[in-house]
Amino acid sequence: MAKKNFKELFDPKESKWGGISLPMFLAALVVVAIMVYVPFGLDKEGNPGSFLRPNFLIMFSALAVFGLLFGEIGDRIPIWNDFIGGGTILVFFMAAVFGTYHLVPEKFMEAVDVFYNKQPVNFLEMFIPALIVGSVLTVDRKTLIKSISGYIPLIVVGVFGASVCGMAVGFIFGKTPQDVMMNYVLPIMGGGTGAGAIPLSEIWSAKTGRPAGEWFGFAISILSIANIFAIICGALLKKVGEAKPSLTGNGELIIDNSKEAIRDKEVEVKPELTDTTAAFILTGILLMTAHILGELWSAFAKSHNIDFELHRLVFLILLTMFLNIANVVPDRLKAGAKRMQTFFSKHTIWILMAAVGFTTDVKEIIAAAAPSNILIALAIVLGAVGFIMLVARKMKFYPIEAAITAGLCMANRGGAGDVAVLGAADRMDLISFAQISSRIGGAMMLVFGSVLFSIFAS
């Protein structure tokens, strides 16, 4: 494939802006700018109104135009594209700058927040389930079975490596091991913000009797720094894999030399639109079932004083794994699921990254950007990556893919962080394993955090 260049991007005869020509893209950009920035009339409170109608289609298209603007440019900046993550990361950073420094109106920010992460829209709850179902259903059954017994121990290796390296660098700056574990390792390796830092802060508050925000404020800052390192590491590991092919499975996590392994059935079966539609409906039904199971588990845990949360995406992964292992899904439906996954992972990633960026506060990262904190966070991320790569091949995993999923996808901000890391590493097909890290690994860290806070928090 020919390398992307700026000349083709600004050639009006080419269609390099997400499949449309430069004149058409510029026209779309003008329309979006008018909708977002031009005041019009008054709102219900008597304040200046706008043309913004925050429904799904309009927000999807507006974020797509923003994503295409910086994504296509980012994919053509030589050093940035080669080592930082290209268009995916540039979209994220630029959206974060626009959001943090109020370069877009507050009403647009509110609409983005609903589109990305709140009911009734919550595009993230469409994006991640589509990737999970598409990727898990098309993993070879025997390969999937082999991964279950080996992947959880791989996560434990990553947490151990993160702890050892974090404490070693922390010691240089006068930090005690328990300080590093409670205030650095736990928030970074805890499964993200919603499923990690927030419940961990509540556990900390329950153990100390102090406000949860006292622990959470620093935790979210250090997690934000580690998340950036994890994204950059994902891009760097991609380059390492290109330079050292023996370290990577090129998107395959599990080393499988058996001849009976069957992969990529969507190549053998060409899906029709009805197959893709059916896969999308199946994804919705599975998510409904997972949500019901998650609510039932939550009620059971509360009634029995069990401090162990299981997110609905954990149940979604388990349900999809069961369907695959039981071999009850027809090949055409699997092929449709793969096509659905490809659509979301390849063609909507910049839309999601723009939404994630707009809801990320750059000031959070700056606030905790003391040299000691930066170096400890970096040590934790590199420790997880390094220890995993050392043992991955012995555990029948490819080192690059293992480090990305069991390491970097533990050391980021949960679901959105997984998307950013896998996007930077060009390993979006590994989303199911990334979710195992964020959800099941995160749940393990909640239990670990409860024990640590019980012993050391005061």
Side-chain angles (χ1 to χ4, degrees), residues 191-202:
T193 304
I198 291 176
L200 279 169
S201 69
E202 295 297 327

Side-chain angles (χ1 to χ4, degrees), residues 199-271:
L200 279 169
S201 69
E202 295 297 327
I203 295 172
W204 180 88
S205 178
K207 302 300 181 184
T208 62
R210 289 145 64 185
E214 190 176 323
W215 184 87
F216 181 78
F218 181 80
I220 192 64
S221 299
I222 205 70
L223 173 57
S224 297
I225 292 172
N227 187 61
I228 298 299
F229 283 137
I231 295 170
I232 294 173
C233 269
L236 292 176
L237 283 175
K238 175 187 174 183
K239 301 302 294 183
V240 171
E242 292 171 356
K244 298 285 186 181
S246 62
L247 296 178
T248 180
N250 296 310
E252 294 286 348
L253 172 64
I254 302 150
I255 298 174
D256 188 356
N257 298 320
S258 60
K259 294 182 179 179
E260 66 271 16
I262 301 173
R263 304 181 192 279
D264 299 328
K265 289 190 175 180
E266 76 280 2
V267 175
E268 301 172 11
V269 180
K270 299 296 182 182

Side-chain angles (χ1 to χ4, degrees), residues 291-306 308-311 315:
H291 177 70
I292 292 170
L293 293 174
E295 291 295 309
L296 291 174
W297 169 261
S298 181
F300 175 81
K302 287 181 181 178
S303 64
H304 291 77
N305 295 318
I306 300 174
F308 187 78
E309 188 66 28
L310 284 177
H311 196 275
F315 288 106

Side-chain angles (χ1 to χ4, degrees), residues 88-89 92 116-117 124-125 127-128 191-194 227 230-231 313 349 352-357 359-360 408-409 412-424 428 431 434-435 438-439:
T88 301
I89 305 306
F92 170 77
Y116 153 65
N117 200 31
L124 194 63
E125 282 203 352
F127 185 93
I128 291 180
T193 304
N227 187 61
I231 295 170
L313 292 181
I349 180 65
L352 185 62
M353 291 306 296
V356 173
T359 56
T360 299
L408 298 181
C409 290
N412 60 27
R413 295 184 73 164
D418 291 344
V419 171
V421 166
L422 295 181
M428 197 60 72
I431 186 67
Q435 286 295 298
S438 292
R439 303 306 176 183

Side-chain angles (χ1 to χ4, degrees), residues 133-181:
V133 174
S135 58
V136 173
L137 278 184
T138 51
V139 172
D140 174 61
R141 290 174 61 245
K142 294 178 181 179
T143 303
L144 180 60
I145 294 170
K146 290 178 183 178
S147 72
I148 295 174
S149 60
Y151 189 71
I152 300 302
L154 193 66
I155 292 176
V156 174
V157 170
V159 173
F160 178 76
S163 302
V164 170
C165 293
M167 287 189 289
V169 175
F171 178 78
I172 298 173
F173 293 101
K175 307 283 186 182
T176 63
Q178 55 265 37
D179 181 16
V180 172
M181 291 301 298

